[in-house]
Amino acid sequence: MTRRFYSVARGVAWRSVHNTFANPAIILPSIIFPLFFLAAFAGGLSSISDVPNFDYKPGYTAFQFAFVLLQSSAFGGVFTGFAVARDFDSGFARRLLLCAPQRSGIIAGYAAGALVRWFVTGAIVTVAALLAGMSVEGDGVELVGLFGLGVLVNIVAALWACGVAMFLRTEQAGALIQMPVFIVLFLAPVFVPLRLLSGWIHAVARYNPATVALEAARGLIAGSPVKLALAFALLLGGAAIMSLWARRGLASAERAG
Amino acid sequence: MSVSAAASNGVPALVQPSLVDQVGAVARRSVTRTFRQRGLLVFPLVFPLLLFAINGSALGAARKINGFPDVSYRDFALAIPFIQGALFVAVSAGTDLARDIESGFFNRLALTPLRGSALLAGQLGGAVVVACVQSLVYLAVGIASGVGIASGFGGALVLLALSILIAFGFAGLGALLALRFGSGEAVQGFFPLLFVTIFLSSSNLPRNLIKADWFREVATYNPVSYLIEGVRSLIITGWDGEALALGFGFALLLCVITLSLAGASMKNRLVRT
């Protein structure tokens, strides 16, 4: 890593953060969506906790908070992919490619911007859940672990989104950026624990890496961590693979000129 | 120049097309344009079905809640794609109309004798065609996945009629937003807000089983609950007069309000100089 890399990354990150927070049309959906998911799932579906054998101690709001927090972190990354696609559509990204002395810094900058965006969204979602009466049984270290999971999910999603956006270089890539993330997240045990799922969704959820991250997050909130090492290992592996993907996307954009 | 004056001067007479012809011409363009943008057709079809497949299974445990209707959760959830599809229709109808405004096509139309009402009705023609296709696909997929229609074949036809009416009402809303704001981005910006109305309704559980008081209250005052319950009643209950009356009533109300407001906005947009 060179000074040139950090210089490019810092510049792109600053621009990404500035554009996000200076434009309500960009920042508001990424804040409002998770809040509505939290309200709809934790409020509207709270009767699900009456299902026999549902025994998540902190309650249904905390059960759903874990999902919404990880979802908000993933979508923080996805929305950054939209920004990358927009930059290619407007021609800005091509000028950026011309003037950046270390182009991999561009990916790092967008990913850093996604992380800052999620810090704000994640904080707001957390405050909203606490105001709604969420019970947290994990200690400080476990909560740091919870947000650590969120950071990794955000990085994986941002790198995926950057890769797709750089390969396709058009805003029309939006559906392709978000649909796989949406599907992977919703094929995890969102509404009930894995053992209460049945049929094909149980089979799919069982092998879905998002299930491991979600169960680890719920365990951390409940103060009884489960599958934590596996979740971190999977997410770190995912980040490594996605950084290669994003790098190849960048190479494709470089070739396209 | 009037038609008779023109004729007496030897100039070929201008025949103003009937309202039906005007609507037909605009509708034909709207339908053609809709089918040329296949990407816009696929996403509204696939996304609600995807959510139906996932939630229909993932929320299957909800059946074990005391008081839940004696049907599978998939039967209960089939009503939701119809409403989600209608929202997509609203956005696509509004975006198409906004594009016409942004591109100046509307201003050129203002130079022609085309009536505003014909333009509005015709523009929504494409939306109605999409709504018909969507509703048929949702129903077919539901039946193929094992959902039974409690009200039978007649009920399925009524279900299609109700879902198309709902889609027409939402398309009117999309048109209203387009005419008011004149920007496709603004219309799309409203999508999350519209989508939230589905989440804050009785879409996932019957209202009497919603435990959080505030949520139940919101769902009760949310008209979308009655649209969903109208469609759902035909699938899981049979012929439920009250649910159908409320469903059709709110759908008609939505059509009347959005189309009359859109008509008024159309007059402002189509200022003839």
Side-chain angles (χ1 to χ4, degrees), chain B residues 154-191:
Chain B
L157 294 179
V158 174
L159 189 158
L160 289 175
L162 177 56
S163 64
I164 291 166
L165 187 66
I166 292 169
F168 195 62
F170 276 112
L173 183 60
L176 171 63
L177 293 172
L179 289 164
R180 279 283 161 94
F181 298 104
S183 141
E185 202 176 339
V187 174
Q188 290 184 355
F190 272 87
F191 180 71

Side-chain angles (χ1 to χ4, degrees), chain A:
Chain A
M1 299 286 168
T2 62
R3 263 179 58 195
R4 292 192 306 182
F5 173 88
Y6 285 116
S7 156
V8 173
R10 201 169 48 241
V12 173
W14 184 88
R15 178 177 176 276
S16 171
V17 171
H18 175 267
N19 281 357
T20 301
F21 292 100
N23 190 347
I26 294 176
I27 186 65
L28 285 180
S30 59
I31 292 175
I32 290 172
F33 249 139
L35 287 178
F36 275 115
F37 271 117
L38 184 68
F41 291 172
L45 290 170
S46 51
S47 310
I48 297 286
S49 59
D50 295 339
V51 168
N53 299 323
F54 185 99
D55 55 359
Y56 186 68
K57 258 187 13 197
Y60 201 71
T61 303
F63 187 83
Q64 280 303 338
F65 168 73
F67 173 73
V68 173
L69 187 75
L70 295 188
Q71 188 206 32
S72 70
S73 71
F75 271 79
V78 163
F79 284 130
T80 297
F82 295 168
V84 178
R86 197 164 47 239
D87 283 345
F88 273 101
D89 254 355
S90 68
F92 174 80
R94 286 187 177 82
R95 297 197 293 278
L96 186 61
L97 284 172
L98 273 178
C99 68
Q102 178 88 46
R103 288 173 180 160
S104 52
I106 296 173
I107 298 172
Y110 279 123
L115 203 54
V116 173
R117 176 201 283 249
W118 178 65
F119 283 147
V120 174
T121 311
I124 291 172
V125 171
T126 306
V127 169
L130 290 170
L131 288 175
M134 174 177 70
S135 148
V136 178
E137 299 187 3
D139 58 24
V141 176
E142 284 160 341
L143 292 185
V144 170
L146 172 69
F147 285 94
L149 285 173
V151 167
L152 285 177
V153 169
N154 180 270
I155 290 171
V156 172
L159 290 173
W160 154 258
C162 278
V164 178
M166 287 177 170
F167 267 115
L168 299 178
R169 300 182 290 280
T170 163
E171 278 191 86
Q172 286 170 340
L176 199 62
I177 292 173
Q178 66 177 323
M179 281 299 276
V181 177
F182 193 87
I183 291 169
V184 168
L185 285 173
F186 273 86
L187 287 176
V190 176
F191 306 108
V192 290
L194 181 63
R195 65 178 182 287
L196 293 186
L197 290 177
S198 58
W200 69 272
I201 191 95
H202 180 265
V204 174
R206 210 171 140 205
Y207 296 105
N208 182 354
T211 301
V212 178
L214 189 55
E215 288 185 336
R218 283 171 180 158
L220 288 167
I221 297 174
S224 47
V226 287
K227 299 182 181 173
L228 201 55
L230 180 60
F232 274 101
L234 280 173
L235 287 170
L236 284 169
I241 293 168
M242 286 305 152
S243 59
L244 290 176
W245 164 255
R247 193 66 194 78
R248 289 196 66 175
L250 180 63
S252 154
E254 286 171 335
R255 277 195 304 275

